[in-house]
Amino acid sequence: MSLSVIVLAAGQGTRMKSDLPKVLHPISGQPMLYYVIEAAKTLSDDITVILFHQAKRIETAVRARFSDVKFKIQDHARYPGTGGAVMNIETMHDKVLVLNGDMPLVTSESLEPLILCDADIVMSVFDLDNPSGYGRVVIENGEVMAIVEEKDCTKEQKKIKTVNAGVYLFKKEVLDRYLPLLSNDNAQAEYYLTDIVKMAREDGLHIKPVWVDETSFKGVNSRYDLANAEELMQDRIKEKWMRNGVTMHLPSTIYIDSRAVFEGDCTLDNGVTIHGETIITHSHIRSHTVVEDADIKNSTCGPMARIRPGSIIEDSHIGNFVEVKKSHLKRVKAGHLSYLGDATIDEGTNIGAGTITCNYDGIGKHKTFIGKNVFIGSDTQLVAPVKIEDDVIIAAGSTVTEDIQKGSLAISRTPQKIVENFFYKYFSKKSVK
Ligand code: UD1
Ligand code: MG
């Protein structure tokens, strides 16, 4: 498509009250700027991100994910404001779409009506009962006459309910002609991109408003807005996966990262949290289980299990209060109260309640290998590095410090002693008849 995109991301984001640049605040697992660039990429092969505050940090974050995006540092000292932001940018195509880096809910579908509209300037608008904070849009006979920033509004203009959503499609020649004519003679002493509209209108150019879906064009200015945007993003993510065959019980209590993927028939019970690049295939994740960057196939996990990064769980059952980290489990049952870290556990093995892999010695992490058909009794500690071959039984309460050969029983516990009638002597009581 012959369209260039400019993403405005030079603002300070003061209202976030954060050291992290606003556009890098995460929503459903990813910086909000990623969503905007993602939408832009489906529309254009020429994307420029405008930076100023913490420019290096934002550039590094964007480059980590997108290789073909250009960056431009705004001359903020001399030309502050949204108009200053788009000055002197070389774009490849005749049409230029201007997006804001703090609009994470924008999608290529929501931008389509703007792109399809033919005019010298197309601008996004919506109607609000409470328009405060937005630039008001003066429309006459279907044409935009002017955009007036709230701080510059007269009393009458403040009553206008149609507001500027902040996304525009310009003919490149319009930008080239009017950007040098902008002035900063306004309440904020900034160069307003929106002032182009008035000048263009006075020269008889066509400026069309396009009413857009408010949700998709919501800007994030505070952490309250961030939370609202994340809620809306979650609704989208969940709707997509439900339509793809994932059952969710009480979806409002479930959190799913935008990078997570589901395949086949899956069920998520209430309170489930899925972080990171998790892949879940044909599995049931039960209540209040937390999964992060893991791969779960044909398995049930939870309730209240924690599956941490680097775990691969296949054809297995993971029960309550079991924590798995960087471990590969294949046809394994670990029903209750265990920690399995840096372990490889093979088919047919049963992990008793309270089994702990002692993978950390205070200096480094060590691996535990457990073979096929191993029966591990409850409350066993496996001190890594350690290898347990196939067909082994480990007695309950054992501390395993040595490798165990195929077919063996391992038992390590203090022998039991019986002292008869000790209770009665100790408490000076008589036996109950
Ligand atoms: C802008 C519009 C307003 C509209 C509102 C919608 C102007 C003058 N006003 O106001 O009509 O209703 O958006 O949200 O454009 N930015 C830069 N460089 C700067 C200043 C801002 O890149 O020097 C970027 C910001 O990072 C942000 C975007 O431009 O992504 C919008 O800036 P912001 O300060 O939020 O503008 P508003 O006052 O909200
Ligand atoms: Mg804004």
Side-chain angles (χ1 to χ4, degrees):
M1 178 170 285
S2 55
L3 181 73
S4 292
V5 176
I6 295 175
V7 182
L8 305 184
Q12 196 165 5
T14 328
R15 283 169 285 172
M16 294 298 279
K17 298 190 167 57
S18 175
D19 291 337
L20 185 68
K22 174 162 82 173
V23 292
L24 295 188
H25 273 261
I27 289 184
S28 300
Q30 299 194 86
M32 62 172 115
L33 183 55
Y34 281 17
Y35 296 96
V36 181
I37 297 175
E38 202 70 72
K41 272 179 77 78
T42 61
L43 301 169
S44 173
D45 58 355
D46 178 35
I47 300 167
T48 308
V49 179
I50 312 302
L51 299 173
F52 179 72
H53 290 283
Q54 299 203 55
K56 257 278 143 280
R57 192 166 173 189
I58 299 172
E59 183 176 335
T60 304
V62 172
R63 281 198 197 283
R65 165 70 183 276
F66 302 96
S67 53
D68 45 359
V69 168
K70 294 185 276 185
F71 299 90
K72 172 95 201 293
I73 307 292
Q74 181 180 351
D75 183 355
H76 204 274
R78 283 199 294 167
Y79 298 104
T82 48
V86 292
M87 282 174 187
N88 302 315
I89 296 170
E90 282 160 32
T91 51
M92 273 164 49
H93 302 295
D94 293 340
K95 289 208 167 179
V96 181
L97 179 69
V98 178
L99 299 177
N100 288 337
D102 60 2
M103 274 185 187
L105 294 160
V106 80
T107 58
S108 51
E109 297 82 47
S110 63
L111 292 167
E112 203 151 283
L114 283 150
I115 292 162
L116 295 176
C117 183
D118 187 31
D120 296 303
I121 303 173
V122 184
M123 58 170 297
S124 55
V125 302
F126 46 72
D127 295 334
L128 288 180
D129 283 338
N130 174 14
S132 74
Y134 285 93
R136 310 297 204 277
V137 185
V138 183
I139 298 171
E140 280 172 24
N141 304 321
E143 291 265 349
V144 178
M145 308 311 261
I147 305 169
V148 191
E149 290 310 298
E150 172 148 291
K151 287 181 179 142
D152 303 296
C153 273
T154 62
K155 238 178 162 184
E156 272 313 296
Q157 286 169 328
K158 268 200 179 149
K159 289 186 196 149
I160 297 174
K161 296 215 183 308
T162 302
V163 300
N164 172 18
V167 169
Y168 322 82
L169 184 69
F170 290 97
K171 280 191 178 157
K172 189 182 172 185
E173 66 207 39
V174 173
L175 284 178
D176 291 343
R177 186 159 144 203
Y178 292 103
L179 279 174
L181 305 179
L182 284 181
S183 88
N184 62 349
D185 181 17
N186 52 53
Q188 303 185 85
E190 286 188 354
Y191 293 84
Y192 292 166
L193 182 59
T194 45
D195 283 348
I196 289 184
V197 166
K198 194 159 168 260
M199 292 190 275
R201 183 62 218 145
E202 280 163 7
D203 288 344
L205 268 59
H206 290 292
I207 303 144
K208 295 273 184 213
V210 170
W211 270 262
V212 292
D213 155 41
E214 189 199 328
T215 309
S216 302
F217 288 75
K218 253 192 175 50
V220 172
N221 292 310
S222 65
R223 303 219 199 189
Y224 181 72
D225 295 341
L226 185 75
N228 282 332
E230 181 156 64
E231 199 117 22
L232 293 162
M233 189 68 80
Q234 281 295 304
D235 284 346
R236 281 189 191 166
I237 292 168
K238 286 181 249 179
E239 181 178 346
K240 171 180 139 193
W241 291 118
M242 285 189 264
R243 292 196 186 284
N244 269 284
V246 179
T247 293
M248 294 187 202
H249 296 292
L250 290 182
S252 63
T253 65
I254 294 173
Y255 173 91
I256 302 176
D257 193 293
S258 56
R259 295 162 295 172
V261 174
F262 298 85
E263 281 162 13
D265 217 338
C266 293
T267 297
L268 305 180
D269 289 353
N270 63 299
V272 162
T273 302
I274 311 288
H275 288 296
E277 293 177 14
T278 291
I279 305 175
I280 297 179
T281 311
H282 275 297
S283 291
H284 185 173
I285 312 298
R286 297 172 68 188
S287 300
H288 302 288
T289 292
V290 179
V291 183
E292 182 174 359
D293 287 313
D295 187 346
I296 301 174
K297 235 181 242 138
N298 304 320
S299 298
T300 59
C301 295
M304 291 166 287
R306 181 163 181 221
I307 315 297
R308 291 173 50 199
S311 299
I312 303 171
I313 294 171
E314 302 173 80
D315 305 303
S316 294
H317 166 66
I318 306 297
N320 46 213
F321 306 112
V322 174
E323 176 179 345
V324 183
K325 187 219 75 172
K326 213 174 173 186
S327 292
H328 187 171
L329 279 61
K330 195 172 175 193
R331 211 157 68 72
V332 169
K333 281 187 183 151
H336 340 255
L337 296 153
S338 283
Y339 172 61
L340 305 170
D342 302 300
T344 302
I345 311 178
D346 216 337
E347 296 180 40
T349 286
N350 189 86
I351 308 286
T355 298
I356 306 288
T357 52
C358 310
N359 60 330
Y360 184 51
D361 56 12
I363 299 166
K365 299 281 167 66
H366 303 284
K367 290 200 157 64
T368 301
F369 292 94
I370 306 174
K372 294 188 171 70
N373 305 318
V374 173
F375 182 88
I376 301 185
S378 299
D379 194 25
T380 294
Q381 301 111 56
L382 303 161
V383 182
V386 71
K387 183 173 183 199
I388 294 144
E389 295 185 1
D390 297 345
D391 308 330
V392 158
I393 298 175
I394 300 175
S398 295
T399 301
V400 176
T401 53
E402 311 275 338
D403 292 355
I404 307 172
Q405 284 67 46
K406 186 169 188 281
S408 316
L409 164 74
I411 178 163
S412 84
R413 50 163 106 118
T414 335
Q416 181 172 319
K417 248 201 271 180
I418 303 282
V419 181
E420 280 180 15
N421 292 317
F422 180 85
F423 179 96
Y424 307 108
K425 276 184 224 153
Y426 188 74
F427 291 114
S428 311
K429 281 184 188 167
K430 289 208 164 85
S431 159
V432 181
K433 292 268 150 31

